[in-house]
Amino acid sequence: MYPTVAEVLALPVLRQGHPRVVAGAGGLDAPVRWAHVAEIAEIAPLLRGGELVLTTGVALPDDGPALTRYVADLAGVGVAGLVIELVRHWNDKLPAALVDAADRHGLPLVTLSRETRYVTVTEAVNSLIVDAQVAELRAAEQVHETFTALTVAGAEPGVVLREVARITEQPVVLETLSHEVLAYDAAGTDPAELLTGWPARSRPVQVGERTGYHAASGRLVTVVGARGHDWGRLVLVCAEPPPHRHRVVAERAASALAVHRLVAKDPDGLERQAHRAVLTELLASPVPSAELLARASALGVPLAGRLLIGLAVRPRITATTSPALSTPPLLRELAEATALAARRAKVSALVSTDDTGVRALIALSPEANADTVLQRLATDIHEARASAPGVIAVGTTVSGTGGARRSLVEADQVAAAALGEGVERVLHRLHDVRLRGLLHLLAGDERVTAFSARELGPLLSRDAASGSRLVQALRHYCEHGGNKSAAAAAAHTSRTAYYQQLARIEQVLGVRLEDPESMLSLYVALLAHDLGQQGTHSSE
């Protein structure tokens, strides 16, 4: 809010007096609250601190001890600086005792070699101060309007932090109370440098109040929370003590963030969103960037030098399952069950929801037994969600961050294949789903779709036209390896009637079902057709 001593000395009205700093140069950044002309030596008791004292020196003593006491008294009340003309009392230089005392107290001592109209100086300085105060009030009003609008609009944390960075021109981070980064804006600086090792660097930063500046780390910290429940901290990274306006910005931003969380009514939404953003970028990036790895580490999940395993959890929807179980609340519950299982197992994990279930990336130390950890995680998730059965699948264990995408994609594909397989396992792996898993890997390939249509097209058309169930009869036949009796029993049809259905299938398709290659081709076509139907339903 106030100009510094250096800024005041740069005013034309003072530059005309040829100012020279003869002591206390380290204090030139001190703020000047007022400019005051004082020609008596006992002026200190009449001051409040922050003044720039202007004097001709005519009433100052010449003896060293008195001058030393004069400077000590001024420094004691916290004046910003002392300006003395070298015209009337001293013409060449100031007494050494005066200069030495100013240096000891870090008090800026400035000489003017030419006569200067102090009334003009005070007018200019005080006008500068008033202008700065008015500008500060206007800026505060703008801050109030900006964050009030953001609060009313329920702005997302990223939008709020972007405004903080824009106004302060400093990097800002929103973290949990355990120092995991939920959102950030690097304000044009290197995000990787900002976030690398963030939890370890942030943990020692404690200010003992809701808003405070930690000088050792250069961070302005504001606690975020409402209704007696604190859940995070807003950290403004600033090497120098921030102006009061920046404290106001941080506090208003913290209020906007707290209101957004209350309105969202999703206490862990920000953490899941942060995890989802990292996982989404991992899936889109064959080679993760340094910034992405730093973001994951800032979330408490270091990826470099770890064993990485993709994990997918999908709710199993059956005819008896309540439709409500496929809604977002169920997916959030699955995500929290997965995150809780990871915490209990003391392993790091990125966990988020997508349109169909839960996606996670498990990060283990190289010495960990991956199979043991995964089995425990799957068991805990199943027990937590016993009322809503689901499928848990994992991808290949990889040792480099470049393989994270492959493991995540494999986990999704295994989960989707396992849902269609109908086999109950604690944990599904790629080798468990076999042919069905291969077809999932090829899902969406036009050649597979064309093959399925070519093999089954006539049969599908016959069922659609006549209402027959020949495709279902063929499915039973293939699933039972060509055992007609077992297939008839599964179809709940007499063998005579079932054999007639098989004969019609052979007639419509022009193949012999007893031929191994024909049965294999038709079974592959059926699986591909089923996968295509699942994709159509899920997109709807």
Side-chain angles (χ1 to χ4, degrees):
M1 180 183 299
Y2 298 108
T4 64
V5 175
E7 290 170 340
V8 169
L9 295 180
L11 290 173
V13 68
L14 270 172
R15 286 166 55 192
Q16 292 174 2
H18 296 175
R20 187 168 72 93
V21 180
V22 297
L28 290 176
D29 59 349
V32 177
R33 190 181 58 80
W34 206 248
H36 191 75
V37 180
E39 295 296 355
I40 59 173
E42 297 79 15
I43 189 63
L46 304 178
L47 303 177
R48 296 171 53 190
E51 295 90 352
L52 180 66
V53 176
L54 309 172
T55 180
T56 60
V58 293
L60 296 182
D62 287 309
D63 62 293
L67 289 174
T68 299
R69 185 167 55 255
Y70 170 69
V71 172
D73 289 345
L74 292 178
V77 296
V79 301
L82 174 63
V83 177
I84 302 177
E85 271 187 356
L86 292 179
V87 177
R88 292 176 173 78
H89 189 167
W90 297 293
N91 302 107
D92 183 26
K93 62 180 180 179
L94 297 176
L98 188 62
V99 175
D100 292 343
D103 255 335
R104 281 197 304 274
H105 290 283
L107 177 68
L109 179 59
V110 182
T111 61
L112 299 175
S113 60
R114 296 179 59 181
E115 184 176 18
T116 304
R117 295 183 62 186
Y118 279 162
V119 64
T120 306
V121 173
T122 56
E123 287 177 351
V125 173
N126 295 340
S127 177
L128 182 64
I129 293 170
V130 170
D131 288 345
Q133 289 174 331
V134 171
E136 187 73 14
L137 289 174
R138 288 174 178 168
E141 182 179 3
Q142 185 177 13
V143 167
H144 172 76
E145 292 176 352
T146 297
F147 287 100
T148 296
L150 291 175
T151 301
V152 172
E156 294 288 334
V159 176
V160 176
L161 266 59
R162 185 161 60 247
E163 281 300 310
V164 174
R166 182 186 67 81
I167 295 172
T168 65
E169 299 182 343
Q170 302 290 346
V172 59
V173 174
L174 175 63
E175 64 173 14
T176 66
L177 294 180
S178 56
H179 311 291
E180 296 175 0
V181 175
L182 297 174
Y184 72 95
D185 192 302
T189 64
D190 182 7
E193 182 178 346
L194 172 67
L195 299 178
T196 298
W198 178 272
R201 289 186 289 125
S202 181
R203 201 167 289 116
V205 179
Q206 303 295 330
V207 295
E209 52 187 325
R210 291 197 70 81
T211 301
Y213 181 68
H214 191 269
S217 63
R219 300 186 184 191
L220 176 65
V221 180
T222 300
V223 176
V224 183
R227 297 179 181 175
H229 175 63
D230 297 331
W231 52 266
R233 302 199 308 176
L234 189 67
V235 182
L236 193 67
V237 181
C238 41
E240 301 296 329
H244 176 72
R245 183 164 61 95
H246 288 186
R247 296 174 68 100
V248 174
V249 169
E251 290 173 348
R252 290 307 309 273
S255 297
L257 292 166
V259 170
H260 173 270
R261 179 130 171 172
L262 286 174
V263 172
K265 296 181 180 179
D266 184 5
D268 296 301
L270 292 178
E271 184 177 0
R272 294 283 78 80
Q273 289 174 25
H275 284 219
R276 183 185 302 113
V278 173
L279 286 171
T280 300
E281 290 194 35
L282 280 172
L283 285 168
S285 309
V287 180
S289 64
E291 176 192 347
L292 187 57
L293 297 179
R295 285 167 56 191
S297 180
L299 283 167
V301 188
L303 302 181
R306 300 297 182 99
L307 298 178
L308 305 177
I309 310 161
L311 182 143
V313 185
R314 298 287 183 270
R316 190 186 291 280
I317 307 300
T318 66
T320 59
T321 302
S322 168
L325 291 179
S326 60
T327 58
L330 168 66
L331 300 185
R332 286 196 293 269
E333 290 176 12
L334 282 175
E336 291 316 306
T338 303
L340 179 59
R343 287 194 293 270
R344 285 176 175 170
K346 297 182 179 179
V347 298
S348 301
L350 295 168
V351 181
S352 76
T353 59
D354 57 23
D355 293 337
T356 58
V358 174
R359 174 183 290 131
L361 183 65
I362 310 299
L364 304 176
S365 67
E367 299 78 21
N369 186 321
D371 290 337
T372 301
V373 173
L374 291 173
Q375 198 70 22
R376 176 180 175 182
L377 282 175
T379 301
D380 284 353
I381 295 170
H382 280 300
E383 289 179 354
R385 299 298 307 160
S387 61
V391 165
I392 302 175
V394 294
T396 303
T397 300
V398 298
S399 57
T401 55
R405 179 182 181 277
R406 175 167 68 95
S407 188
L408 286 166
V409 170
E410 287 178 355
D412 284 342
Q413 292 165 341
V414 171
L419 279 175
E421 188 180 36
V423 177
E424 297 291 343
R425 292 188 179 91
V426 173
L427 191 64
H428 294 262
R429 302 173 186 270
L430 194 59
H431 59 73
D432 293 325
V433 293
R434 307 179 72 184
L435 177 58
R436 196 181 298 271
L438 174 62
L439 291 174
H440 268 278
L441 292 173
L442 299 174
D445 191 308
E446 293 181 356
R447 293 168 296 182
V448 175
T449 303
F451 168 78
S452 175
R454 187 168 59 249
E455 290 288 314
L456 298 177
L459 208 60
L460 291 168
S461 298
R462 178 65 175 269
D463 279 356
S466 64
S468 58
R469 297 174 56 83
L470 297 182
V471 172
Q472 188 62 25
L474 177 61
R475 181 177 285 106
H476 288 306
Y477 180 79
C478 293
E479 288 177 348
H480 288 82
N483 186 324
K484 296 180 182 180
S485 298
H492 304 291
T493 306
S494 68
R495 282 189 289 180
T496 300
Y498 186 72
Y499 293 166
Q500 291 174 351
Q501 287 180 323
L502 294 182
R504 279 196 292 274
I505 291 171
E506 290 181 330
Q507 181 184 10
V508 171
L509 296 179
V511 299
R512 292 181 63 252
L513 294 179
E514 293 180 355
D515 176 44
E517 184 174 346
S518 293
M519 186 175 71
L520 176 60
S521 293
L522 290 169
Y523 187 48
V524 171
L526 281 168
L527 291 176
H529 173 71
D530 291 345
L531 291 177
Q533 292 296 105
Q534 290 177 14
T536 301
H537 294 324
S538 64
S539 65
E540 293 174 353

